[in-house]
Amino acid sequence: MTTDTNLTRIDLERWILDFADQIIQQHLILSDLDAASGDADHGSNMERGMSALLKSVPDWDGAATPGEFLKDVGMHIVSSVGGSSGALYGTIFLRMARAVGGAPTISPGLLSDAFEAAAQGVSERGKVKQGDKTMFDALAPSVQTLKAKLKEEKSLSEALTSAATAAEAGRDATSDMVARKGKSSYARENSRGFIDPGAVSVAMLIRSAARTLA
């Protein structure tokens, strides 16, 4: 990270590499969770996409701006991660890229705006709201917390750590919810008692950001 706390493309690369590694290590857990009420492929879909992403590292453009890098990640995920996970995770990074634009570095405020745009994109793309038992139940509170902590003039490190904790609380809260969106919704009451796998992977994404960007 640069000394003025603005994030560079290199910082973002470190975040994405860490997240990909976490997904690959824990993809069986994600698929087991998905098997409880879905089609058991969230982990395998994400693992396939992240493995393909890691193989593309030698081809990454070292001159790309942060926004261009985020766009490349989003397009890669759309093309390599199957199912709704690919569309939704692609939306996260493409909306972040759009929010960042051509900025040479990303300030904490701009990072907050980018995450807020990502959450809005997931809500629109998936037609979901909090309480539907989806990844949005982890993403939305983490973004709200990040924004609030930065408004309180907390450091980026403190804000991201709090955001990761909020994401994990949102993840855990999905256990008591009945799925209203996606294939899990077909299970209706039988979906209660299981944590949503998308909320788990999103909590991993935010914890990874706290670990690598702060």
Side-chain angles (χ1 to χ4, degrees), residues 55-62:
K55 289 179 181 176
S56 74
V57 169
D59 299 324
W60 288 1
D61 181 4

Side-chain angles (χ1 to χ4, degrees), residues 80-133:
S80 61
V81 178
S84 58
S85 299
L88 293 171
Y89 267 97
T91 296
I92 287 175
F93 290 105
L94 292 174
R95 288 296 183 98
M96 290 187 77
R98 186 189 301 175
V100 169
T105 60
I106 302 176
S107 67
L110 184 54
L111 182 69
S112 175
D113 290 345
F115 270 117
E116 189 170 30
Q120 182 66 31
V122 168
S123 177
E124 293 172 358
R125 179 90 186 189
K127 296 180 174 55
V128 295
K129 60 183 183 300
Q130 282 185 265
D132 284 344
K133 196 181 178 83

Side-chain angles (χ1 to χ4, degrees), residues 147-188:
K147 196 175 186 69
K149 292 298 179 183
L150 291 176
K151 190 174 182 180
E152 294 171 6
E153 300 186 348
K154 300 294 184 183
S155 69
L156 181 59
S157 175
E158 292 175 291
L160 281 172
T161 298
S162 294
T165 300
E168 289 159 358
R171 171 201 66 193
D172 294 345
T174 64
S175 178
D176 292 330
M177 297 176 185
V178 174
R180 294 198 290 251
K181 292 291 182 180
K183 290 185 179 178
S184 294
S185 65
Y186 301 145
R188 299 183 182 278

Side-chain angles (χ1 to χ4, degrees):
M1 190 185 300
T2 55
T3 54
D4 61 0
T5 73
N6 279 9
L7 302 173
T8 67
R9 178 184 56 77
I10 298 300
D11 296 319
L12 299 179
E13 287 185 10
R14 189 168 58 250
W15 170 37
I16 298 305
L17 292 174
D18 183 87
F19 174 59
D21 183 59
Q22 294 298 311
I23 288 292
I24 291 169
Q25 288 186 40
Q26 302 188 50
H27 72 279
L28 293 178
I29 294 173
L30 295 173
S31 285
D32 284 347
L33 285 171
D34 200 17
S37 57
D39 45 16
D41 65 356
H42 182 60
S44 58
N45 282 338
M46 291 294 290
E47 187 277 334
R48 184 169 54 253
M50 294 301 106
S51 293
L53 185 66
L54 292 183
K55 289 179 181 176
S56 74
V57 169
D59 299 324
W60 288 1
D61 181 4
T65 64
E68 290 170 338
F69 173 72
L70 289 168
K71 182 179 179 180
D72 286 345
V73 170
M75 294 303 294
H76 190 95
I77 288 175
V78 168
S79 64
S80 61
V81 178
S84 58
S85 299
L88 293 171
Y89 267 97
T91 296
I92 287 175
F93 290 105
L94 292 174
R95 288 296 183 98
M96 290 187 77
R98 186 189 301 175
V100 169
T105 60
I106 302 176
S107 67
L110 184 54
L111 182 69
S112 175
D113 290 345
F115 270 117
E116 189 170 30
Q120 182 66 31
V122 168
S123 177
E124 293 172 358
R125 179 90 186 189
K127 296 180 174 55
V128 295
K129 60 183 183 300
Q130 282 185 265
D132 284 344
K133 196 181 178 83
T134 71
M135 64 162 59
F136 191 67
D137 288 301
L139 184 58
S142 72
V143 173
Q144 293 159 5
T145 299
L146 177 63
K147 196 175 186 69
K149 292 298 179 183
L150 291 176
K151 190 174 182 180
E152 294 171 6
E153 300 186 348
K154 300 294 184 183
S155 69
L156 181 59
S157 175
E158 292 175 291
L160 281 172
T161 298
S162 294
T165 300
E168 289 159 358
R171 171 201 66 193
D172 294 345
T174 64
S175 178
D176 292 330
M177 297 176 185
V178 174
R180 294 198 290 251
K181 292 291 182 180
K183 290 185 179 178
S184 294
S185 65
Y186 301 145
R188 299 183 182 278
E189 281 293 335
N190 289 334
S191 67
R192 194 191 299 274
F194 301 98
I195 294 175
D196 179 74
V200 174
S201 60
V202 161
M204 292 165 61
L205 179 73
I206 306 301
R207 179 58 69 184
S208 178
R211 186 165 49 243
T212 59
L213 299 181

